[in-house]
Amino acid sequence: MAQVPAIVDGRFKLFESHAILIYLACAFPGVADHWYPADLFRRAKINSVLDWHHSNLRRGSATFVLNTVLAPALGLQKNPQAAAEAEKILYASFARIESFWLQGKGRFLLGGLQPSIADLSLVCEIMQLEVLDEKDRNRILGPHKKVMQWVEDTKNATKPHFDEMHAVLFRAKERFQKQRLMEANSDGETSQKSSLRSKM
């Protein structure tokens, strides 16, 4: 299927991130129950979050990042209209997470006291926004304090593995920041030269 992520466990091959998370939570002894509880009703709720994720949060996050940051790096054209539509989906998704999925006594999705595979999947989706310009990231995430706290809680609950797994993303963030700084300096020099020419 040429899909990423994919895993090979012995002779068993599997793709699609949510299917992989469910398999890993069930296939190996000793995986804590909170990741994907044995309770059928709790599992059904987690599955509903995962299904919602693909057609909402993922659609917004992946499309926005692609059409603002990644497209030029991949040799593609940015699509401002697609980015604007994706931003609306992101706002709606964050509002839904805060008003619906983050309800209850716990700090995690579905009122959980500990994170589940749904927390991992959705938080990792939001982490893509780290590569954005700080101004864009703050504009999109800033109004959603509850989402930001939940991201932080999930990071803390999964340390040190969270940072290890996102090391590539953090390196990409650094690279994009340097690139934006160089472009800003270059634009500044160009406008300075234009100003000098007009004065002459």
Side-chain angles (χ1 to χ4, degrees):
M1 293 296 285
Q3 294 286 308
V4 174
I7 63 166
V8 178
D9 181 28
R11 296 175 64 186
F12 181 66
K13 299 173 184 176
L14 187 65
F15 63 93
E16 287 296 342
S17 58
H18 295 161
I20 291 168
L21 284 169
I22 291 168
Y23 173 73
L24 293 174
C26 298
F28 298 97
V31 175
D33 187 67
H34 65 86
W35 291 114
Y36 194 58
D39 178 83
L40 177 64
F41 300 107
R42 188 84 182 147
R43 278 192 176 189
K45 290 284 189 180
I46 288 171
N47 290 339
S48 72
V49 177
L50 294 174
D51 286 349
W52 174 88
H53 169 210
H54 268 148
S55 51
N56 293 277
L57 181 62
R58 172 158 291 169
R59 228 172 94 225
S61 181
T63 306
F64 187 80
V65 170
L66 175 65
N67 286 288
T68 53
V69 177
L70 290 186
L74 298 171
L76 303 170
Q77 289 289 319
K78 287 182 185 178
N79 184 335
Q81 186 180 342
E85 287 168 13
E87 188 169 342
K88 286 178 190 169
I89 294 168
L90 270 175
Y91 278 123
S93 297
F94 290 146
R96 183 61 55 150
I97 288 168
E98 290 193 327
S99 66
F100 192 76
W101 300 119
L102 282 175
Q103 291 299 307
K105 294 175 185 175
R107 295 174 298 151
F108 302 101
L109 297 176
L110 302 166
L113 299 175
Q114 292 179 292
S116 72
I117 60 172
D119 293 278
L120 286 184
S121 190
L122 272 65
V123 165
C124 286
E125 192 71 54
I126 293 168
M127 286 299 292
Q128 287 186 77
L129 303 180
E130 288 290 319
V131 301
L132 298 177
D133 180 275
E134 201 67 22
K135 178 175 47 106
D136 287 338
R137 186 180 173 280
N138 289 340
R139 186 185 74 249
I140 293 168
L141 260 179
H144 303 284
K145 306 296 181 200
K146 208 170 175 182
V147 166
M148 290 171 74
Q149 184 57 56
W150 159 63
V151 170
E152 202 55 37
D153 289 340
T154 304
K155 279 186 196 179
N156 290 333
T158 54
K159 277 182 177 176
H161 311 296
F162 192 93
D163 288 339
E164 288 171 20
M165 292 301 102
H166 288 91
V168 172
L169 179 76
F170 296 138
R171 286 198 295 273
K173 176 183 178 176
E174 255 180 64
R175 201 180 86 216
F176 286 126
Q177 281 175 337
K178 283 178 187 171
Q179 190 178 326
R180 281 190 285 267
L181 194 60
M182 282 168 40
E183 285 169 5
N185 289 341
S186 173
D187 290 346
E189 285 172 15
T190 304
S191 63
Q192 208 171 16
K193 284 174 186 173
S194 301
S195 171
L196 282 170
R197 276 195 216 101
S198 66
K199 285 175 183 175
M200 293 169 115

